[in-house]
Amino acid sequence: MSPTPAKTNPFPGLRPFNQEEDYLFFGREEQTIELLRRLGSNRFVAVVGSSGSGKSSLVRYGLLSQLLGARCSGRRRVGSRRHASGGNPLALLTDALLEADLYDRAANTS
């Protein structure tokens, strides 16, 4: 009698998908479309939610794959920045936005 092949779970669990696992990401098309719609009328969109709810996977393999595909086909200019939260998430976000040159302090000081 031959052994039964081991079944593997295709999902990474609570960690985000790796780049090599993008083929496993599916089922969030409506959320991806909503993020694309919001980005069409806003320069910045934040994705927030509980730990382990799939925020990173949605952004990396839903949204960014669509945006980078658009960039590769020459339809739009795309920039992105990632940052992990920590003890002071607003300060980390501010630093990430400043690093990305998305905010001009001089233009907003009076």
Side-chain angles (χ1 to χ4, degrees), residues 51-98:
S51 178
S53 64
K55 302 174 301 292
S56 296
S57 296
L58 174 62
V59 170
R60 290 178 186 169
Y61 303 107
L63 180 64
L64 285 179
S65 66
Q66 293 295 313
L67 290 175
L68 294 175
R71 182 183 72 183
C72 291
S73 67
R75 290 185 290 185
R76 67 182 350 175
R77 182 177 164 266
V78 176
S80 69
R81 293 291 183 267
R82 280 188 273 166
H83 91 89
S85 61
N88 191 344
L90 289 178
L92 292 170
L93 176 60
T94 301
D95 291 344
L97 292 173
L98 291 171

Side-chain angles (χ1 to χ4, degrees), residues 17-23 60-61:
F17 285 82
N18 290 321
Q19 193 67 38
E20 303 81 37
E21 299 169 325
D22 63 346
Y23 68 95
R60 290 178 186 169
Y61 303 107

